[in-house]
């Protein structure tokens, strides 16, 4: 397995936080576009697995798993310092995404990798923090 790279950004949105997963994926997509990625597909269902975001940058296809949580930053500031939703992606989930990526890439030529985006949504301030881990295979 490769080295993880951390990038972070903060976003503001004007949507209710009643659909945390979808909102987190929307924010992660915006983050990726701003970082120069081209979105290929979202929520690609391969039967045995769903890939949240498939995108491309500099000839490499990225399979992005998004983990989102909605909290009130002002009430849990101490927890926020140590909590990272992207850490909820375990080895079994990575292996499942890798298998899905192999199926998706079958017959296609090119490099690919698995990335994880963690999105913390602040209910009160209507802000989000994106943490992006990228791992090359």
């Amino acid at each position: 397995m490769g080295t993880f790279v951390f990038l972070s950004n903060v976003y503001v949105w004007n949507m209710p936080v009643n659909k945390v997963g979808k909102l987190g994926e929307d924010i992660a997509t915006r983050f990726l576009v701003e970082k120069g990625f081209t979105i290929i597909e979202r929520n690609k269902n391969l039967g045995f697995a769903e890939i949240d975001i498939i995108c491309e940058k500099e000839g490499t296809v990225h399979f992005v798993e998004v983990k989102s949580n909605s909290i009130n930053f002002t009430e849990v500031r101490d927890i926020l310092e140590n909590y990272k939703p992207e850490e909820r992606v375990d080895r079994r989930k990575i292996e499942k995404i890798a298998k899905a990526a192999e199926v998706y890439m079958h017959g296609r030529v090119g490099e690919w990798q698995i990335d994880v985006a963690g999105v913390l949504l602040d209910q009160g301030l209507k802000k989000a923090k994106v943490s992006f881990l990228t791992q090359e295979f």
Side-chain angles (χ1 to χ4, degrees), residues 1-136:
M1 299 201 174
T3 304
F4 284 101
V5 178
F6 177 80
L7 302 171
S8 183
N9 219 337
V10 176
Y11 294 95
V12 178
W13 75 94
N14 295 317
M15 296 175 60
V17 187
N18 59 354
K19 295 188 178 179
V20 173
K22 167 114 173 51
L23 180 57
E25 288 176 10
D26 290 346
I27 291 169
T29 298
R30 180 175 159 193
F31 171 87
L32 292 166
V33 169
E34 289 181 4
K35 295 296 180 187
F37 290 81
T38 300
I39 306 302
I40 298 170
E41 291 189 60
R42 289 184 55 185
N43 304 114
K44 176 68 176 176
N45 191 328
L46 295 166
F48 63 93
E50 179 180 279
I51 301 171
D52 294 331
I53 303 170
I54 302 172
C55 54
E56 182 273 333
K57 184 175 183 180
E58 299 175 359
T60 300
V61 177
H62 298 255
F63 297 90
V64 182
E65 174 69 12
V66 180
K67 289 295 182 191
S68 305
N69 274 87
S70 176
I71 59 176
N72 188 329
F73 289 172
T74 56
E75 293 177 6
V76 292
R77 196 166 300 276
D78 294 336
I79 295 171
L80 177 62
E81 294 297 321
N82 299 311
Y83 182 72
K84 297 173 179 68
E86 62 274 15
E87 291 178 349
R88 293 190 349 248
V89 180
D90 60 14
R91 176 175 287 288
R92 192 172 69 204
K93 181 66 174 181
I94 293 292
E95 289 170 355
K96 193 173 189 177
I97 295 167
K99 182 178 176 184
E102 288 171 358
V103 168
Y104 182 87
M105 292 299 291
H106 181 75
R108 294 177 169 93
V109 177
E111 298 291 319
W112 61 272
Q113 67 186 53
I114 297 170
D115 303 327
V116 178
V119 182
L120 274 174
L121 306 167
D122 184 325
Q123 300 168 7
L125 297 176
K126 300 289 188 212
K127 290 186 178 181
K129 180 178 181 193
V130 176
S131 301
F132 187 66
L133 298 173
T134 178
Q135 184 173 10
E136 297 184 21

